[in-house]
């Protein structure tokens, strides 16, 4: 038997990676032969070395579909679903390797500044306490263990009320609710149902942008879509449904099956079941499925499978994967590398913030797959010698709806323009649009629409909590967040903020309160961004304080809670943010602080969620009072930290300038002789393109505010239209006027809606851009 095993290994050069061997051992059916195999290996180190070399050779082999690629009879797949031994399905190694060389400038980090402030405060507090004691003050200072390392510890405190009746039966819950209602005072309208928020309420009151197109299509639109999209049933009629039950039965090549097995995946998820066979046919796809449902593997598997059959005489960049953020591209690159580990397919990561030079070198040898963010890709198309998109066979746009939005539109158009028309295009997102007017720009070829889950639904295993913040309680947001984090959500929590500044300030407050947090937003260097993510992923910090930069696509195992410090700007943003938890069939919880202006969005959430997913949380006012005193005490400290940080930055900047000057003198000749880079957009254009999204965002709030102003107090009334606006339908209520001479004087009102008199005597609403 031993001989038999050896013969197979020697003759066929079958790869058995170490991880794979141990998994095989877990399987009683194969354990004996594998034990023998392992013993044999242990007996003969030399043989092991030769085998490793052979394995290496096998991975690098040009043709993976040779006769030698015979399936090892001992090879088995994981049988218990997701292989939980895999801690993280992706890592940062490629991104780390691509970081620009570090310039050593000594300055204190924000964490160091905060920590020092914390310790100083602690000393001050102790000194004060001792002073009081010396002065004969008999006040007893009780120190809890918690107090010792937290100068801002709160002591006991009253717990807050939580209306989360998980595990309570319906009738019990109803009884409790009734009892609760009876006891309630004037605040009784806190109950969500009393807000008049139910599924059928105010259908047409929802913001136009937030409507889910497929549900509201009229006959004309339905006909257009029918003509535009390919008929899915025709395409998959010959498909044997049973053949998609497992990856093994999907007719995939062995190296991919090994890659999948390596990642711990046996059964395809619904989007993978549908997308893989259709993508393998070369069809264009418009794919939508809930967050965390495995869309990445859904497009990576067919890409890799198709690349295995590419001609190998000439190297070409054949696949381009675009993602809207650097982190998402890094993640996708890492997963793709793992999946393609047993093939000869080459990949290159092209994202901003990483070394241009290194990417240029990698692109020169024409990797099979390029995974990029749009800005950096265009830079390479324009400036990297011999790199072009003319041989692209497959274009993938991840988070496609985001990429079609205004901030990315110009860049995306530029990229699509450089790709051949004959390519296959696949678009994916949890909030995928089927709006033809938007898709038409991508010149798709009769795409197949694959909307796997209920459109724009959230994961059924996600519990969504809401905390109502009344107008007069707005000032309590910080406190409420602190209460939530100090008392309830202590590990693997991601918190979303509307702005970088608030996220940063909150990081300081968290630090001073002894909560371990890292921040992730656009004001940080790429290295800091990676460090923040790594620290959070590895559990070195418990909280990730992020802007919407982290809202899409990021897949960090074990995130238990998502907190929205503010309701996001749209329902789509909400779906993506809360989708960072409850991924791949796991449980998760989101907590959203909901202001008065967020009522419409809240209605959207309720409309698209199951009743049992929604909970309401109340925060005890006593507890808020108690925390308020402590927070007030540290506001000055926050200012001090910010000031010190600014000073440190200034010192660092001066040192950097000095270094830059020295380098300019040292490498003058080389720098002068470098070919000048050209840019797709000037800095100004880039900025204005980015600002567009910000303006849109502000405009949305202005519109909401306007509506609120026009509403009566209860918010029940519809918007009042002026008597001249009777003919203005909802769709064309605003005429968008570019910022031209005529409206220059309204500059200060960019994003606002103004009324202009028209010849006919009425008024027209104009949105200033
Ligand atoms: N077939 C599978 N079996 C088990 N787990 C899987 C499978 N496919 C993917 N996963 C896991 O599911 C998780 C979510 O996958 P992925 O990040 O691709 O989701 P997504 O649909 O792209 O989410 P989002 O919309 O948030 O970007 C990942 O941790 C991935 O490893």
């Amino acid at each position: 038997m031993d001989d038999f095993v050896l013969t197979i290994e020697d003759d066929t050069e079958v790869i058995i990676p170490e991880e794979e061997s141990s998994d095989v051992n877990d399987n009683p059916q194969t354990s004996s032969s594998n034990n023998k195999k392992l013993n044999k290996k242990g007996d003969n180190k030399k043989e092991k070395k030769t085998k490793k070399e052979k394995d290496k050779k096998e991975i690098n082999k040009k043709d993976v579909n040779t006769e030698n690629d015979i399936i090892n009879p001992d090879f088995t797949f994981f049988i218990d679903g997701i292989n939980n031994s895999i801690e993280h399905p992706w890592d940062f190694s490629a991104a780390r390797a691509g970081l620009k060389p570090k310039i050593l400038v000594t300055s204190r980090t924000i964490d160091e500044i905060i920590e020092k402030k914390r310790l100083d405060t602690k000393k001050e507090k102790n000194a004060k306490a001792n002073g009081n004691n010396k002065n004969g003050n008999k006040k007893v200072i009780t120190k809890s263990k918690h107090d010792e390392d937290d100068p801002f510890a709160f002591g006991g405190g009253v717990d807050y009320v939580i209306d989360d009746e998980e595990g309570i039966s319906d009738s019990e819950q109803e009884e409790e609710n009734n009892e609760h209602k009876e006891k309630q005072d004037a605040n009784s309208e806190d109950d969500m149902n009393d807000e008049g928020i139910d599924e059928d309420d105010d259908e047409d009151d929802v913001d136009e942008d937030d409507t889910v197109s497929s549900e509201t299509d009229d006959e004309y639109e339905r006909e257009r879509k029918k003509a535009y999209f390919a008929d899915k049933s025709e395409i998959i009629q010959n498909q044997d449904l049973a053949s998609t039950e497992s990856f093994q039965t999907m007719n995939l090549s062995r190296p991919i099956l090994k890659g999948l097995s390596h990642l711990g995946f046996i059964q395809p998820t619904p989007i993978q079941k549908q997308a893989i066979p259709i993508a393998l046919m070369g069809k264009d796809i418009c794919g939508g499925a809930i967050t965390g449902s495995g869309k990445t593997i859904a497009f990576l598997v067919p890409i890799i499978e198709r690349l295995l059959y590419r001609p190998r005489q000439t190297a070409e960049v054949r696949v381009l994967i675009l993602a809207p953020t650097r982190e998402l591209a890094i993640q996708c690159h890492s997963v793709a590398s793992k999946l393609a580990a047993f093939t000869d397919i080459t990949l290159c990561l092209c994202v901003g913030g990483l070394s241009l030079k290194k990417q240029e070198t990698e692109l020169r040898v024409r990797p099979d797959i390029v995974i990029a963010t749009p800005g950096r890709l265009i830079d390479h198309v324009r400036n990297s010698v011999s790199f072009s998109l003319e041989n692209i066979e497959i274009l993938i746009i991840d988070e496609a709806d985001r990429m079609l939005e205004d901030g990315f539109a110009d860049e995306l158009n530029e990229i699509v323009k450089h790709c051949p028309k004959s390519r296959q295009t696949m678009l994916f997102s949890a909030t995928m649009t089927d709006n033809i007017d938007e898709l038409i720009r991508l010149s798709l070829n009769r795409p197949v629409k694959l909307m796997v889950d209920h459109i724009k639904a959230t994961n059924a295993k996600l519990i969504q909590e809401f905390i109502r913040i009344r107008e007069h309680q707005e000032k309590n947001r910080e406190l409420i967040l602190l209460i939530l984090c100090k008392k309830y959500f202590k590990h693997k929590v991601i918190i979303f903020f509307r702005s970088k500044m608030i996220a940063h300030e909150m990081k300081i407050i968290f630090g001073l309160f002894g909560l371990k947090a890292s921040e992730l937003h656009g004001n940080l260097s790429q290295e800091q961004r990676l460090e923040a993510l790594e620290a959070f992923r590895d559990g070195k910090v418990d909280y990730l304080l992020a802007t919407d930069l982290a809202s899409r696509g990021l897949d960090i195992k074990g995130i238990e809670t998502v907190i929205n410090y503010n309701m996001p700007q749209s329902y789509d943003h909400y779906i993506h943010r809360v989708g960072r938890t409850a991924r791949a069939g796991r449980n998760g919880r989101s907590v959203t602080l909901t202001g008065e202006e967020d009522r419409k969005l809240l209605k959207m959430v309720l409309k698209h969620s199951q009743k049992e997913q929604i909970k309401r949380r109340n925060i005890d006012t006593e507890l808020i009072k108690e925390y308020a005193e402590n927070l007030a005490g540290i506001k000055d400290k926050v200012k001090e930290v910010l000031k010190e940080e600014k000073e440190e930055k200034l010192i660092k900047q001066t040192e950097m300038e000095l270094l830059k000057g020295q380098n300019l003198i040292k490498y003058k000749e080389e720098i002068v002789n470098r070919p000048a880079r050209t840019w797709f957009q000037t800095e100004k254009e880039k900025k204005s393109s980015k600002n567009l999204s910000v303006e849109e965002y502000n405009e949305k709030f202005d519109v909401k505010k306007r509506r609120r102003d026009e509403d009566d107090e209860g918010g029940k009334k519809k918007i009042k239209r002026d008597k001249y606006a009777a003919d203005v339908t909802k769709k064309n209520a605003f005429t968008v006027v570019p910022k031209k001479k005529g409206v220059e004087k309204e500059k200060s009102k960019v994003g606002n809606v103004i009324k202009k008199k028209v010849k006919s005597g009425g008024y027209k609403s104009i949105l200033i851009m």
Side-chain angles (χ1 to χ4, degrees):
M1 190 61 185
D2 281 2
D3 285 346
F4 172 70
V5 173
L6 274 173
T7 317
I8 288 199
E9 284 187 11
D10 286 348
D11 287 348
T12 60
E13 295 182 338
V14 168
I15 318 159
I16 305 176
E18 274 157 31
E19 293 88 334
E20 206 175 283
S21 307
S22 59
D23 285 310
V24 170
N25 275 336
D26 291 341
N27 185 336
Q29 285 172 349
T30 54
S31 60
S32 84
S33 66
N34 280 289
N35 281 339
K36 280 175 195 167
K37 216 187 297 175
L38 283 177
N39 289 341
K40 198 84 191 169
K41 275 184 194 168
D43 289 348
N44 193 343
K45 277 187 186 168
K46 225 177 176 183
E47 195 177 290
K48 193 178 167 188
K49 205 178 160 195
T50 337
K51 196 195 151 299
K52 268 195 175 169
E53 278 167 11
K54 278 177 186 169
D55 287 351
K56 224 175 173 180
K57 253 194 252 164
E58 176 72 90
I59 292 170
N60 293 327
K61 246 187 207 166
K62 277 281 163 206
D63 193 350
V64 283
N65 289 308
T66 59
E67 269 175 32
N68 279 349
D69 203 21
I70 297 164
I71 292 182
N72 177 358
D74 290 331
F75 181 83
T76 52
F77 292 86
F78 303 113
I79 49 168
D80 290 321
I82 298 168
N83 176 14
N84 285 315
S85 66
I86 294 178
E87 263 286 286
H88 306 288
W90 63 286
D91 58 52
F92 302 89
S93 50
R96 282 223 162 271
L99 280 172
K100 293 172 194 164
K102 204 171 184 169
I103 300 169
L104 282 175
V105 177
T106 42
S107 68
R108 286 187 302 157
T109 64
I110 181 74
D111 286 314
E112 284 163 353
I113 301 173
I114 296 171
E115 191 51 28
K116 184 165 182 305
K117 193 67 55 193
R118 230 171 84 86
L119 293 175
D120 288 350
T121 318
K122 192 177 161 186
K123 273 184 206 157
E124 273 171 33
K125 203 178 161 190
N126 287 344
K128 223 174 181 179
N130 288 338
N132 282 345
N133 282 343
K134 271 182 202 157
N135 291 337
N137 190 334
K138 290 273 160 30
K139 191 176 172 188
V140 182
I141 297 165
T142 46
K143 250 190 177 184
S144 70
K145 191 179 174 297
H146 198 65
D147 278 338
E148 269 167 28
D149 53 291
D150 184 0
F152 304 105
F154 300 120
V158 190
D159 208 341
Y160 72 100
V161 182
I162 167 166
D163 270 12
D164 179 351
E165 283 94 0
E166 258 185 296
I168 302 176
S169 72
D170 278 353
S171 54
E172 270 174 330
Q173 187 169 331
E174 218 173 290
E175 244 171 59
E176 262 196 49
N177 280 348
N178 289 340
E179 207 177 300
H180 183 60
K181 263 187 192 140
E182 277 165 27
K183 281 181 195 166
Q184 271 178 341
D185 52 12
N187 279 343
S188 63
E189 55 185 334
D190 250 350
D191 195 283
M192 283 180 127
N193 291 330
D194 291 343
E195 279 187 89
I197 302 163
D198 61 45
E199 292 189 12
D200 302 315
D201 186 33
D202 274 344
E203 270 272 25
D204 63 344
D205 209 7
V206 170
D207 285 0
E208 185 118 17
D209 286 359
D210 293 333
T211 51
V212 179
S213 59
S214 289
E215 288 176 4
T216 54
D217 282 347
D218 56 20
E219 190 56 33
Y220 169 71
E221 209 42 47
R222 269 197 290 275
E223 283 305 313
R224 270 183 88 205
K225 282 180 185 169
K226 216 170 148 189
Y228 182 77
F229 291 106
D231 189 347
K232 191 173 94 184
S233 56
E234 258 175 40
I235 290 167
I236 55 171
Q237 66 181 351
N238 297 325
Q239 182 87 43
D240 174 11
L241 283 179
S243 70
T244 58
E245 276 316 302
S246 94
F247 287 119
Q248 268 178 296
T249 52
M250 277 178 127
N251 257 335
L252 298 169
S253 300
R254 180 177 152 73
I256 296 185
L257 292 175
K258 288 176 93 170
L260 285 164
S261 161
H262 212 67
L263 282 164
F265 305 155
I266 320 148
Q267 274 191 326
T269 62
I271 182 72
Q272 291 163 2
K273 276 184 197 174
Q274 292 204 22
I276 294 172
I278 294 175
L280 284 173
M281 291 177 200
K283 303 276 177 202
D284 284 4
I285 287 179
C286 240
I290 53 165
T291 49
S293 58
K295 292 184 285 294
T296 318
I297 294 290
F299 61 74
L300 285 177
V301 166
I303 291 175
I304 294 172
E305 176 71 32
R306 286 192 58 191
L307 281 176
L308 290 177
Y309 298 92
R310 71 200 181 283
R312 286 177 171 78
Q313 297 87 338
T314 50
E316 298 294 355
V317 176
R318 296 170 200 274
V319 177
L320 172 62
I321 303 175
L322 289 175
T325 63
R326 297 168 184 179
E327 284 71 18
L328 197 48
I330 291 169
Q331 175 181 305
C332 182
H333 176 271
S334 177
V335 176
S337 307
K338 287 198 160 78
L339 192 62
F342 302 96
T343 72
D344 60 346
I345 291 166
T346 48
L347 299 106
C348 174
L349 175 67
C350 289
V351 298
L354 303 185
S355 160
L356 251 174
K357 258 191 177 170
K358 192 174 173 278
Q359 290 169 10
E360 270 172 358
T361 316
E362 283 179 31
L363 288 177
R364 225 165 276 153
V365 292
R366 299 195 185 143
D368 299 302
I369 305 176
V370 168
I371 300 172
T373 45
R376 181 54 68 91
L377 184 84
I378 293 177
D379 190 356
H380 283 301
V381 171
R382 296 198 147 226
N383 300 303
S384 296
V385 194
S386 82
F387 173 66
S388 85
L389 301 175
E390 64 191 21
N391 291 306
I392 293 293
E393 290 167 20
I394 308 176
L395 169 65
I396 307 281
I397 307 180
D398 197 9
E399 307 296 345
D401 56 329
R402 172 73 189 101
M403 301 281 265
L404 283 161
E405 278 173 18
D406 279 327
F408 283 106
D410 295 342
E411 291 174 330
L412 194 62
N413 288 349
E414 176 79 359
I415 293 168
V416 169
K417 204 172 78 188
H418 280 85
C419 295
K421 277 227 156 71
S422 57
R423 69 183 189 267
Q424 175 185 16
T425 311
M426 290 187 260
L427 317 174
F428 286 90
S429 173
T431 46
M432 191 59 220
T433 177
D434 62 353
N435 185 324
I436 300 171
D437 298 324
E438 285 175 26
L439 296 172
I440 224 145
R441 288 194 279 133
L442 299 174
S443 49
L444 303 173
N445 178 19
R446 288 272 286 157
V448 182
K449 189 168 94 176
L450 297 177
M451 299 294 175
V452 172
D453 300 288
H454 196 285
I455 292 179
K456 300 199 178 183
T458 46
N459 198 309
K461 287 197 168 176
L462 173 77
I463 298 294
Q464 303 170 70
E465 292 183 4
F466 293 91
I467 298 173
R468 184 177 182 179
I469 313 278
R470 288 162 182 280
E471 211 132 331
H472 67 274
Q473 290 169 331
E474 277 295 337
K475 59 183 184 305
N476 292 339
R477 270 186 201 264
E478 281 177 354
L479 296 169
I480 291 171
L481 180 64
L482 277 171
I483 294 169
L484 290 175
C485 295
K486 272 301 244 192
K487 295 186 79 67
Y488 290 91
F489 303 110
K490 297 183 178 177
H491 301 290
K492 283 264 157 126
V493 184
I494 182 162
I495 307 168
F496 285 105
F497 297 89
R498 227 173 238 177
S499 79
K500 303 172 212 174
M501 207 183 71
I502 305 176
H504 185 58
E505 256 187 58
M506 215 60 209
K507 146 111 188 164
I508 300 172
I509 296 175
F510 267 47
L512 293 173
F513 273 97
L515 297 168
K516 285 189 209 152
S518 60
E519 53 188 324
L520 181 63
H521 49 72
N523 272 0
L524 307 172
S525 70
Q526 191 51 44
E527 187 167 11
Q528 287 171 321
R529 276 159 73 161
L530 289 179
E531 271 166 13
L533 264 177
E534 251 170 345
F536 182 59
R537 184 198 67 170
D538 299 341
K540 288 180 190 147
V541 297
D542 299 308
Y543 303 93
L544 185 69
L545 314 181
T547 56
D548 273 311
L549 181 86
S551 66
R552 280 186 183 250
L554 277 188
D555 182 59
I556 300 171
K557 211 171 166 189
I559 293 184
E560 292 167 6
T561 316
V562 169
I563 299 180
N564 287 315
Y565 183 73
N566 303 91
M567 190 69 130
Q569 70 186 73
S570 71
Y571 179 58
D572 283 5
H573 281 76
Y574 177 84
I575 290 180
H576 289 285
R577 279 185 181 187
V578 298
R580 295 317 97 213
T581 185
R583 297 173 70 74
R586 295 181 179 91
N587 294 321
R589 184 177 292 263
S590 69
V591 184
T592 305
L593 275 58
T594 318
E596 293 299 302
E597 78 272 25
D598 303 321
R599 290 164 47 85
K600 302 244 161 42
L601 211 51
L602 180 58
K603 278 184 204 174
M604 285 288 289
V605 177
L606 300 185
K607 214 171 175 181
H608 290 278
S609 309
Q610 289 153 28
K611 217 175 159 197
E612 54 279 10
Q613 279 183 275
I614 306 289
K615 309 271 172 192
R616 177 174 63 89
R617 227 175 230 272
N618 283 339
I619 306 287
D620 191 305
T621 44
E622 284 305 312
L623 197 58
I624 291 181
K625 270 185 212 156
E626 190 186 340
Y627 270 64
E629 278 170 31
N630 291 283
L631 186 62
I634 70 148
K635 278 290 178 181
D636 284 344
K637 306 282 170 199
V638 176
K639 277 186 197 149
E640 286 169 27
V641 171
L642 283 170
K643 194 168 159 255
E644 281 180 41
E645 189 193 20
K646 210 172 167 184
E647 286 163 2
E648 285 292 334
K649 265 188 188 160
L650 218 72
I651 297 170
K652 194 174 171 182
Q653 220 171 327
T654 319
E655 273 188 54
M656 295 274 277
E657 290 295 326
L658 205 72
L659 270 174
K660 215 170 140 185
Q662 284 169 349
N663 279 342
L664 267 173
I665 297 168
K666 206 170 165 187
Y667 304 105
K668 192 180 167 194
E669 210 166 313
E670 194 196 320
I671 295 169
V672 171
N673 289 330
R674 261 183 217 157
R677 299 185 81 78
T678 65
W679 306 101
F680 159 63
Q681 282 176 314
T682 62
E683 272 308 309
K684 208 173 160 193
E685 282 166 342
K686 243 189 209 170
K687 229 178 186 166
S688 78
S689 161
K690 266 191 187 148
N691 282 347
L692 206 62
S693 337
V694 178
E695 279 167 20
E696 272 182 346
Y697 176 76
N698 292 336
E699 173 244 321
K700 211 165 227 166
F701 277 93
D702 281 342
V703 172
K704 276 184 180 173
K705 194 169 172 298
R706 186 175 59 89
R707 285 188 177 181
R708 236 190 15 255
D709 294 345
E710 285 168 352
D711 265 8
D712 70 357
E713 288 137 46
K716 293 271 177 194
K717 264 196 184 171
K718 299 270 163 63
I719 313 161
K720 285 178 201 156
R721 289 176 180 154
D722 63 62
K723 60 180 174 176
Y724 302 109
D727 61 336
V728 181
T729 57
K730 202 175 176 189
K731 265 199 172 141
N732 53 14
F734 305 125
T735 308
V736 176
V737 176
K739 208 166 65 184
K740 275 195 210 145
K741 278 179 202 157
V743 282
E744 203 65 77
K745 58 175 182 240
E746 302 288 351
K747 217 170 181 177
S748 60
K749 293 182 180 171
V750 167
N752 283 352
V753 176
I754 57 159
K755 298 264 168 74
K756 286 257 162 188
K757 225 175 187 160
V758 289
K759 273 183 190 167
S760 56
Y763 285 87
K764 201 178 192 180
S765 298
I766 297 181
L767 171 66
I768 307 294
M769 291 186 79

